[in-house]
Amino acid sequence: MNQTRFRWMAIAVAALLMAGCGSQEPQPTQQAEAPAEQQATPIDQSTVGSVSGKISFEGAKPKLARILMDQDPVCAQKHSGPVYAEDGMVSDNGTLPNVFIYVKSGAEKYNFATPTTAVELDQDGCMYKPHVLGIMVGQTLNILTKDATSHNIHPMPKDNREWNLSQPPGGAAIEQKFTRPEIMIPVKCNQHPWMRAYIGVTKNPFYAVTGSDGTFTIKGLPPGEYTIEAWTATFGTQEQKVTVGPSEAKTLDFTFKSS
């Protein structure tokens, strides 16, 4: 009797264990698909146009802040004379360098392939070079150093992930990407507080940065209406609308004034 009862109890326990194991078996769930590689919208290159112009400045030139690098002799030794901050710089010809010009709107109906070439941000003489740069979403940013001192690269975005990485002298290039468009991302160095750069992250390749002559050209624009914005670190932003016809080269100038 006891053996029979024990046998039935063992069968019942085994059945319960099997049922319990069955209930814990993971159920098939719908997995989120990895985003497909974005296909570039075909653009007839025979019809593309361009927008070129100059960024001028009116008024008294601001006095640039002098940078003192005494805290790190390695930085100071790379400069034979005084070093000044680049924000607020006005060229001798009355134009503005380091202005980021980009298509703010009008290109949304197009998709663009992510460039396979990297954009470089160098550190030389404890200064970021270039001071202002553009990059597309998903494109690789390579941070390099030519300095025999440690740096600390610290972008401070609002819409992208913030990161803070150290780079020793002779260190390998640091590779990073931005996943969202953002105008502009300031970059600092926690080791050298005077170091400053700005990164414009766009979804399209239609951007440029002015040089010492204050000029820019944005090429490859499909025919259409666009809003072009000019960003400066010191004098704010301006925007203008422009219509680009097939194979048309348009001129668009901006003028900033001292406040």
Side-chain angles (χ1 to χ4, degrees):
M1 181 69 155
N2 288 340
Q3 290 181 351
T4 302
R5 184 176 180 181
F6 177 78
R7 187 181 299 112
W8 280 108
M9 288 178 64
I11 293 172
V13 169
L16 286 172
L17 289 173
M18 291 178 64
C21 291
S23 64
Q24 294 175 1
E25 186 175 333
Q27 297 298 312
T29 57
Q30 186 174 1
Q31 299 292 328
E33 294 184 3
E37 177 112 12
Q38 182 169 273
Q39 297 297 315
T41 304
I43 297 174
D44 184 354
Q45 294 300 308
S46 67
T47 66
V48 299
S50 65
V51 173
S52 300
K54 180 183 292 186
I55 313 298
S56 300
F57 181 80
E58 290 183 357
K61 294 182 181 180
K63 186 177 180 179
L64 300 180
R66 183 173 176 179
I67 296 173
L68 300 178
M69 302 184 179
D70 300 347
Q71 73 178 57
D72 193 331
V74 171
C75 300
Q77 288 169 4
K78 274 208 167 184
H79 301 275
S80 58
V83 182
Y84 295 92
E86 296 178 83
D87 289 352
M89 182 180 293
V90 179
S91 298
D92 292 338
N93 63 353
T95 63
L96 294 179
N98 297 317
V99 180
F100 188 74
I101 314 287
Y102 70 104
V103 169
K104 185 176 183 179
S105 64
E108 295 82 2
K109 61 183 177 181
Y110 300 100
N111 292 326
F112 301 93
T114 303
T116 56
T117 56
V119 173
E120 291 187 352
L121 178 62
D122 202 355
Q123 298 160 104
D124 190 5
C126 300
M127 299 287 284
Y128 283 121
K129 297 182 179 181
H131 185 57
V132 175
L133 60 89
I135 192 170
M136 284 183 63
V137 170
Q139 189 175 6
T140 300
L141 174 68
N142 274 355
I143 300 102
L144 312 172
T145 181
K146 292 184 174 70
D147 292 329
T149 187
S150 294
H151 286 298
N152 187 263
I153 304 93
H154 186 183
M156 297 169 290
K158 294 181 180 179
D159 300 325
N160 283 275
R161 176 181 61 87
E162 183 175 355
W163 47 271
N164 185 356
L165 297 172
S166 294
Q167 191 173 40
I174 294 173
E175 294 186 357
Q176 290 289 319
K177 296 179 180 181
F178 299 101
T179 59
R180 298 178 181 179
E182 186 169 350
I183 310 293
M184 302 284 286
I185 299 176
V187 184
K188 67 177 182 178
C189 173
N190 291 344
Q191 293 289 110
H192 308 101
W194 62 82
M195 291 181 65
R196 184 73 59 168
Y198 302 92
I199 301 174
V201 186
T202 66
K203 293 183 70 174
N204 63 66
F206 306 132
Y207 61 82
V209 179
T210 59
S212 59
D213 62 354
T215 64
F216 72 92
T217 299
I218 297 176
K219 299 179 180 180
L221 286 167
E225 290 188 5
Y226 299 97
T227 298
I228 310 293
E229 182 168 271
W231 173 95
T232 73
T234 306
F235 308 109
T237 62
Q238 291 184 18
E239 61 181 48
Q240 295 187 47
K241 294 186 181 297
V242 62
T243 300
V244 179
S247 305
E248 187 176 19
K250 278 293 186 70
T251 299
L252 200 64
D253 295 326
F254 293 82
T255 299
F256 288 84
K257 299 181 179 181
S258 57
S259 55

